[in-house]
Amino acid sequence: MERSVDVLLNLIVNRMVQRPHIALVRIWLKKKADICNKCSMFKLCGQKKECLHLVASKGDSISMPPHNFSDLNGHGQRIPMGVTCIGKVAQNKKPLSPEDIKSDPDWQNRDNWAKGEHLLGFGGQPLRFKDDVFGVIAIYSRIKSDRVKEGRFWLNMIANHTAAAIANANAFRQIDHLKSQLELENQYLKEEINQARSFGSIIGKSPSLMNILNQIELVAPTDASVFIFGESGTGKELAAREIHNRSLRKDKPMIKVNCASIPGELYESEFFGHIKGAFTGAVKNRAGRFQAADGGTLFLDEIGELPLALQGKLLRVLQEGAYERIGEDITRHVNVRIIAATNKNIKQEIKQGRFRQDLYYRLNVFPIEIEPLRNRKEDIRLLTYHFLEKISSDMNRDIPDISSAGMKQLISYHWPGNVRELRNIIERSIITSGDMNLKLTFPDNEQQPLSYNPAGNYLKNKAPTDKVLTDKELNRFVKKNIQAALKACNGKIYGKDGAANLLGCVPTTLCSRIKKFNINILEIKK
């Protein structure tokens, strides 16, 4: 069975127009109104919500100069419901009789193009399947309508088969969509489960954390967009997941997109999907993250890394709920809730022209700011015991004891990598401790408490200073610090012996800073 409606309809009009006396065959489908501002029948349209779209046309023109009857953007490209013979067939859900056609003022006052083509007869049938009318199929003949009883029977039969084929094609499309949706949900669910198992849940009792939980309780049941701010490793994704789990969308998926980890040329495909052959390497159709999150939540992590070119397209989806796949002219509609997160100063990014202000206002309906771990020391003890229990259970080990001195060491540490770094240190310490007494294991350059700077980096054994650095001085210092870390790791970014782990930040954040400061890794390796 031909599942492509366009191919099917063109096949029908091409075959029908080959019959004697048939001058023109056309098919309109009922769709949402789209070109109202330039439609010649705009003033005749009563609802301006949906109309008949010309989707297939074939004919033999005898006028001079001849008309291009295959042009879908010419005469009759849009017809309002109830207007002209075509619109009346669609609205009444039944064909016009020859007597109706003769007395119809629309037929009596035929356009010049119809008179020039010597069109004497008209037959129109609704494309009806059960109680649904998909559109209208019409034939224009050079003999009078009352002489083609056989033709009306023939047209009715074709219309019924066409409507059934359209219904089947729509059903197949819906099945394919649901199948693709389930595959996407399963794929992303596996990814999310693995990530959730590796990080735990929101743990703590500090006033700032209690305030965040209260904010989550307030905003979760709504559909409002949420913008979560905080340094890397503070638990922005956990907050997003908690919002989703307490929302009315909790039975639908929460799909995560890490905006910093997507190659620049694949952003649009990742968000909106593509069709086979849309670009080099597009070997099959691909649904994007918006389709996967339809009905649920889309979590845009590190949204500050989103290129300006895509920010406008994202804003359109948020405002209209509509998008197109790459290489496809079909507009798709989605219903998703957006939760965005960033470790950047977005207002500064707006001033620098790297982030759209209108997108910021669209996302920032309900802002939540997560305090860094160094500002909520009360949570360190609870988090430590939580990670000790969870990681030991995952490793099938007994839970080790941590001494008072060890706990004081953790509390006095400045935690540039926040909760993520705390978990890493606990896991590393459990691995390296041979008995039931936990021996805290910091990386070689972290044996002493470290001083923190606002860029998310640290200095070994650096005493606090009252000197205030300018932005230029601070950026110069951060750049040198990153270069030193890369040199110590021989240019390696990822892994336990990589510069990101040494600096206590996630690799994607380090990659962003390397790009920002224009650091040449190849020169560092020399």
Side-chain angles (χ1 to χ4, degrees):
M1 178 178 291
E2 178 59 68
R3 297 189 185 182
S4 171
V5 174
D6 291 338
V7 174
L8 173 67
L9 299 184
N10 279 291
L11 178 64
I12 290 171
V13 297
N14 277 282
R15 293 287 178 84
M16 290 180 66
V17 81
Q18 295 174 11
R19 292 180 65 87
H21 310 300
I22 300 298
L24 173 64
V25 181
R26 286 189 157 181
I27 298 177
W28 289 262
L29 293 183
K30 187 165 61 175
K31 298 182 181 182
K32 290 184 178 180
D34 59 344
I35 58 170
C36 296
N37 293 336
K38 60 180 182 179
C39 180
S40 61
M41 295 190 179
F42 175 75
K43 293 182 179 179
L44 302 175
C45 186
Q47 52 170 304
K48 299 178 177 61
K49 291 182 180 179
E50 64 178 7
C51 59
L52 296 170
H53 294 220
L54 181 62
V55 295
S57 179
K58 188 71 175 178
D60 179 23
S61 176
I62 61 173
S63 66
M64 294 302 294
H67 290 97
N68 180 11
F69 284 147
S70 297
D71 183 12
L72 302 182
N73 296 315
H75 182 83
Q77 64 172 318
R78 299 290 184 274
I79 297 179
M81 301 293 288
V83 177
T84 76
C85 294
I86 302 299
K88 291 171 184 174
V89 169
Q91 187 175 65
N92 298 332
K93 301 183 179 181
K94 62 181 183 179
L96 296 176
S97 68
E99 291 72 24
D100 292 333
I101 296 171
K102 285 181 181 179
S103 61
D104 193 290
D106 290 329
W107 181 250
Q108 293 173 357
N109 300 321
R110 285 171 294 169
D111 296 323
N112 289 331
W113 75 269
K115 293 177 180 179
E117 294 290 345
H118 298 171
L119 299 181
L120 301 176
F122 166 82
Q125 285 281 346
L127 300 176
R128 183 171 179 174
F129 184 79
K130 296 182 178 179
D131 293 328
D132 294 327
V133 172
F134 300 122
V136 175
I137 182 170
I139 58 171
Y140 299 82
S141 65
R142 294 193 173 99
I143 59 175
K144 292 184 178 181
S145 302
D146 53 7
R147 293 174 55 194
V148 287
K149 292 182 180 180
E150 179 186 351
R152 290 197 299 274
F153 172 80
W154 168 67
L155 183 61
N156 178 59
M157 181 180 66
I158 291 176
N160 290 338
H161 283 294
T162 302
I166 293 173
N168 287 336
N170 290 340
F172 277 121
R173 188 184 300 112
Q174 183 69 13
I175 290 169
D176 287 341
H177 172 79
L178 292 174
K179 180 181 177 182
S180 176
Q181 188 86 2
L182 285 173
E183 289 174 352
L184 284 167
E185 288 182 15
N186 287 336
Q187 175 189 343
Y188 292 129
L189 184 60
K190 289 176 182 177
E191 294 177 5
E192 297 302 313
I193 288 173
N194 290 334
Q195 292 178 8
R197 284 176 177 168
S198 66
F199 199 75
S201 56
I202 298 177
I203 303 292
K205 62 177 183 179
S206 63
S208 63
L209 188 61
M210 292 298 102
N211 180 50
I212 289 169
L213 293 177
N214 288 334
Q215 290 177 293
I216 289 174
E217 287 281 0
L218 287 172
V219 76
T222 74
D223 267 347
S225 298
V226 180
F227 210 148
I228 305 174
F229 301 90
E231 296 175 5
S232 293
T234 51
K236 298 186 291 295
E237 182 179 347
L238 292 182
R241 190 171 300 283
E242 195 66 24
I243 292 170
H244 173 74
N245 289 341
R246 299 185 184 210
S247 74
L248 300 178
R249 299 171 179 261
K250 61 185 178 181
D251 294 329
K252 295 290 185 177
M254 183 184 106
I255 303 301
K256 175 187 173 183
V257 183
N258 189 321
C259 300
S261 64
I262 304 172
E265 67 277 8
L266 295 180
Y267 266 107
E268 195 169 350
S269 173
E270 189 72 20
F271 276 90
F272 308 128
H274 63 255
I275 63 171
K276 181 179 178 180
F279 52 85
T280 303
V283 295
K284 63 178 181 179
N285 290 350
R286 184 184 189 280
R289 302 277 175 135
F290 268 96
Q291 181 180 332
D294 194 13
T297 303
L298 186 63
F299 175 47
L300 304 177
D301 197 12
E302 299 195 53
I303 195 171
E305 305 295 338
L306 199 64
L308 269 174
L310 194 66
Q311 290 178 23
K313 295 182 179 182
L314 174 61
L315 181 62
R316 181 212 169 192
V317 182
L318 300 186
Q319 291 175 336
E320 302 176 11
Y323 69 97
E324 292 86 28
R325 289 183 184 176
I326 299 175
E328 187 177 60
D329 58 3
I330 297 175
T331 299
R332 299 174 182 269
H333 297 271
V334 289
N335 175 17
V336 298
R337 181 187 193 171
I338 300 294
I339 302 177
T342 185
N343 58 8
K344 286 190 170 185
N345 184 333
I346 291 295
K347 291 185 178 179
Q348 187 64 33
E349 293 294 301
I350 293 173
K351 288 182 180 179
Q352 297 294 327
R354 292 190 290 265
F355 201 87
R356 292 179 60 128
Q357 189 173 42
D358 49 2
L359 178 58
Y360 167 73
Y361 288 132
R362 185 66 180 79
L363 293 170
N364 198 39
V365 176
F366 195 94
I368 294 178
E369 185 162 0
I370 301 181
E371 290 280 348
L373 188 57
R374 64 184 175 278
N375 291 349
R376 46 188 180 100
K377 300 274 187 173
E378 306 97 312
D379 295 335
I380 292 176
R381 185 181 300 274
L382 287 175
L383 284 166
T384 298
Y385 285 123
H386 168 73
F387 288 138
L388 282 172
E389 180 179 355
K390 180 174 182 3
I391 295 169
S392 297
S393 174
D394 290 344
M395 293 183 179
N396 198 25
R397 290 191 179 189
D398 293 331
I399 301 173
D401 297 322
I402 183 170
S403 64
S404 298
M407 186 61 74
K408 287 180 181 179
Q409 187 179 4
L410 292 175
I411 293 174
S412 65
Y413 184 55
H414 292 272
W415 300 111
N418 291 292
V419 180
R420 185 184 291 113
E421 186 184 13
L422 172 60
R423 188 196 188 285
N424 290 344
I425 287 179
I426 296 298
E427 183 173 9
R428 186 162 55 239
S429 300
I430 292 174
I431 293 171
T432 57
S433 297
D435 52 29
M436 289 302 293
N437 294 316
L438 187 73
K439 299 177 181 65
L440 291 173
T441 304
F442 290 80
D444 291 341
N445 65 333
E446 293 182 6
Q447 295 294 343
Q448 303 292 332
L450 310 173
S451 358
Y452 178 82
N453 73 56
N457 300 293
Y458 52 83
L459 303 173
K460 180 181 176 183
N461 302 328
K462 188 75 176 178
T465 175
D466 293 331
K467 180 183 177 182
V468 176
L469 300 176
T470 65
D471 280 346
K472 190 173 181 179
E473 291 172 331
L474 183 58
N475 285 335
R476 189 184 302 118
F477 177 79
V478 171
K479 182 177 180 179
K480 288 183 178 179
N481 195 43
I482 293 173
Q483 288 173 325
L486 289 168
K487 188 173 182 180
C489 299
N490 194 29
K492 185 176 180 181
I493 296 174
Y494 296 84
K496 292 185 178 181
D497 56 344
N501 189 53
L502 186 62
L503 291 168
C505 65
V506 294
T508 52
T509 300
L510 177 56
C511 290
S512 299
R513 291 174 182 166
I514 291 172
K515 183 178 179 181
K516 175 183 176 181
F517 294 116
N518 197 25
I519 297 173
N520 192 329
I521 298 180
L522 295 178
E523 290 183 358
I524 292 175
K525 287 184 176 181
K526 292 180 180 178

